């Protein structure tokens, strides 16, 4: 018999982790498309945007291209 302890967190299932990963990828791609469109709308290069936002050009490129594995840790992004 397994006790239900309130502070004992259950482990997420493999399916829910996969669904979460897919949702994160989808959100990242959507954010990248919006970022690129707005940047181009204002006639800015990635370097221009990097200087104005203090976000490095490689991170901006990773967002625009949807390269989740190239993004910094979530703590940094928040």
């Amino acid at each position: 018999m397994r006790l239900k302890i309130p502070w004992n967190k259950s482990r997420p299932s493999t399916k829910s982790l996969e669904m979460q990963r897919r949702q994160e990828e989808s959100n990242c791609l959507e954010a990248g498309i919006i970022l690129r469109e707005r940047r181009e709308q204002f006639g800015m290069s990635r370097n221009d945007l990097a200087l104005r936002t203090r976000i490095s050009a490689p991170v901006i490129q990773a967002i625009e291209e949807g390269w989740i594995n190239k993004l910094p840790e979530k703590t940094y992004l928040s």
Side-chain angles (χ1 to χ4, degrees), residues 27-39:
N27 291 344
C28 187
L29 288 171
E30 186 177 342
I33 290 168
I34 292 168
L35 178 62
R36 178 179 288 157
E37 287 174 354
R38 295 291 289 176
R39 179 179 59 77

Side-chain angles (χ1 to χ4, degrees), residues 15-34:
K15 281 186 177 180
S16 66
L17 289 174
E18 180 64 23
M19 288 173 48
Q20 182 181 2
R21 186 186 63 77
R22 286 183 184 170
Q23 184 64 42
E24 286 177 358
E25 286 178 0
S26 175
N27 291 344
C28 187
L29 288 171
E30 186 177 342
I33 290 168
I34 292 168

Side-chain angles (χ1 to χ4, degrees), residues 27-75:
N27 291 344
C28 187
L29 288 171
E30 186 177 342
I33 290 168
I34 292 168
L35 178 62
R36 178 179 288 157
E37 287 174 354
R38 295 291 289 176
R39 179 179 59 77
E40 290 175 350
Q41 185 179 27
F42 285 98
M44 298 176 71
S45 70
R46 287 181 181 148
N47 288 331
D48 294 336
L49 185 60
L51 290 172
R52 297 188 97 184
T53 62
R54 296 184 183 174
I55 298 172
S56 69
V59 171
I60 292 172
Q61 181 180 11
I63 293 169
E64 288 183 352
E65 301 294 334
W67 299 336
I68 294 175
N69 59 338
K70 301 265 184 179
L71 292 173
E73 295 296 320
K74 288 182 181 184
T75 305

